Amino acid sequence: MLRKRLRSALAVGCLVVGSTLIFEAPAQAASSHAIAKTNGTRAAEVWFNRANGSHGNSAWFDLYDAKCDAKPVYVTWKFVTGGWSRWESATNDGGCGNTMGINLGGGGFTIDYKVCVDDGFLDDSCSGTVRDHN
């Protein structure tokens, strides 16, 4: 009887750990990330990935639409330099559960970025600005 309980507990523990590893994999590989919430729940998430030999040896974003609300999500970013810079953006309108990759290029740079949900109003729901580097 005790062996049966131990086997059951071990099986459940393996499933929990295995599930955690599967769902957490993108965040663990990324250098940093940002989350935008609407009505208190996660609606959009973006991961910044430093160049690592894949993606043409370029840094990239993974932009994820986390909420089934029919609202597109987007990431805005700028490369931080000593001179003039401007914000750029890319939109993921593929729908709930869709992830879109955005290549940023290689070399050394510093980047500021944030993720937003297009609320259809002037003030979209956005994360705070995150700074990272390649």
Side-chain angles (χ1 to χ4, degrees), residues 48-117:
F48 173 73
N49 304 278
R50 293 182 183 146
N52 63 5
S54 66
H55 291 81
N57 204 29
S58 294
W60 76 96
F61 286 122
D62 285 319
L63 177 58
Y64 178 64
D65 186 341
K67 199 170 195 177
C68 298
D69 57 6
K71 296 177 182 177
V73 299
Y74 62 95
V75 59
T76 62
W77 71 92
K78 73 174 178 177
F79 296 103
V80 181
T81 63
W84 181 84
S85 64
R86 66 183 174 99
W87 285 90
E88 298 181 39
S89 67
T91 300
N92 178 358
D93 57 4
C96 172
N98 182 276
T99 301
M100 181 177 92
I102 301 134
N103 282 335
L104 299 171
F109 59 83
T110 300
I111 191 168
D112 286 344
Y113 68 92
K114 62 183 174 179
V115 65
C116 301
V117 177

Side-chain angles (χ1 to χ4, degrees), residues 3-5 8 10 18-19 22-23 27 33 50 52 65 69 73 79 84-85 107 116 119 127 131 134:
R3 284 185 185 171
K4 201 176 210 181
R5 285 184 189 165
S8 295
L10 183 59
S19 297
I22 290 169
F23 292 119
H33 76 287
R50 293 182 183 146
N52 63 5
D65 186 341
D69 57 6
V73 299
F79 296 103
W84 181 84
S85 64
C116 301
D119 290 328
S127 68
R131 178 168 281 188
N134 190 35

Side-chain angles (χ1 to χ4, degrees), residues 32-49:
S32 59
H33 76 287
I35 298 171
K37 295 182 178 183
T38 57
N39 299 322
T41 59
R42 180 178 71 141
E45 191 161 2
V46 66
W47 293 271
F48 173 73
N49 304 278

